[in-house]
Amino acid sequence: MAATTTSAQQLGKFVASLAAKQSTPGGGAAAALGASIGSAAASMAAAYTQRKKDKESGAAEKAQALIDRLDFGKMLRVADDDAAAYADLQRSWKDTEMTAAEKQAIEARALAVPVLLVEVCHDYMLSIQAFLPDCNPNITSDAKVGIHQLAGAARAAYQTVLVNSPPKEEKERLKGLLLEIRKIEDSLLEMDS
């Protein structure tokens, strides 16, 4: 079966591939897809904050800045990066001729991909949270869906981080980001709308 990148697959095919007994796509790609969906949902909310009164109040400009910031295509590429990093990692387990330095570089890349995903999810969530007061009130629920999707993606990516044996300092730093993510989600649950 020819490999197809996540960014080029239809959702149904991706989900079927994820469910199959094969090494990729795996949890890292699932997390990245969740982040992409979250980014897209929040982008849609920003796209609907382009009414005349949004333009007059400055909300439309903030909405456009959010759209420009949330790169859901980047998250799909992270899914592809995760699959490539895992394929290299598997190769490193079997290649007896590979140097220790090469193996170390491959292991570092396998860790770097989910770390990046946690960081980007956190960053995007902060941007969406800052935008919420200016969001078209008829569609803030979609911006909040974006936050919740990104939060889930960050937690899922963290699980992939853990399997890659991060240094203690990195693990603690990422836990701090996850605690901030939890606070953002908790604040949404306390909001009236």
Side-chain angles (χ1 to χ4, degrees):
M1 177 166 82
T4 303
T5 61
T6 301
S7 56
Q9 289 186 55
Q10 291 183 352
L11 187 56
K13 289 180 182 178
F14 172 80
V15 172
S17 292
L18 183 62
K21 184 179 178 183
Q22 58 191 28
S23 57
T24 60
L33 182 62
S36 181
I37 291 170
S39 300
S43 291
M44 178 187 53
Y48 274 101
T49 307
Q50 301 292 326
R51 302 164 300 174
K52 182 179 177 184
K53 62 182 169 182
D54 297 324
K55 291 176 182 170
E56 292 167 354
S57 71
E61 187 176 326
K62 293 174 184 177
Q64 187 58 53
L66 183 65
I67 291 167
D68 294 343
R69 180 159 187 72
L70 302 178
D71 186 350
F72 50 87
K74 175 182 181 178
M75 298 296 92
L76 290 176
R77 291 186 298 278
V78 168
D80 295 334
D81 292 345
D82 180 74
Y86 187 71
D88 287 343
L89 190 60
Q90 283 185 309
R91 185 173 51 82
S92 77
W93 298 333
K94 299 172 187 172
D95 188 339
T96 58
E97 311 244 335
M98 189 176 289
T99 67
E102 289 173 313
K103 286 184 180 193
Q104 189 175 22
I106 287 170
E107 289 168 356
R109 180 171 175 235
L111 175 61
V113 173
V115 165
L116 172 70
L117 187 54
V118 173
E119 293 168 341
V120 172
C121 287
H122 175 262
D123 181 54
Y124 283 9
M125 287 177 67
L126 290 173
S127 296
I128 299 165
Q129 181 187 39
F131 170 69
L132 279 175
D134 297 297
C135 187
N136 176 337
N138 298 318
I139 198 149
T140 56
S141 62
D142 290 292
K144 293 173 186 177
V145 164
I147 287 174
H148 290 298
Q149 281 287 142
L150 286 160
R155 287 190 296 271
Y158 182 71
Q159 295 305 309
T160 303
V161 166
L162 292 178
V163 80
N164 286 291
S165 304
K168 182 179 179 182
E169 306 79 39
E170 183 69 342
K171 188 176 172 182
E172 292 306 313
R173 183 182 74 82
L174 294 173
K175 280 183 176 179
L177 293 181
L178 291 175
L179 286 174
E180 290 178 29
I181 285 169
R182 181 186 296 164
K183 288 178 185 176
I184 293 169
E185 275 198 297
D186 287 349
S187 73
L188 292 183
L189 298 174
E190 295 170 3
M191 296 176 80
D192 291 335
S193 59

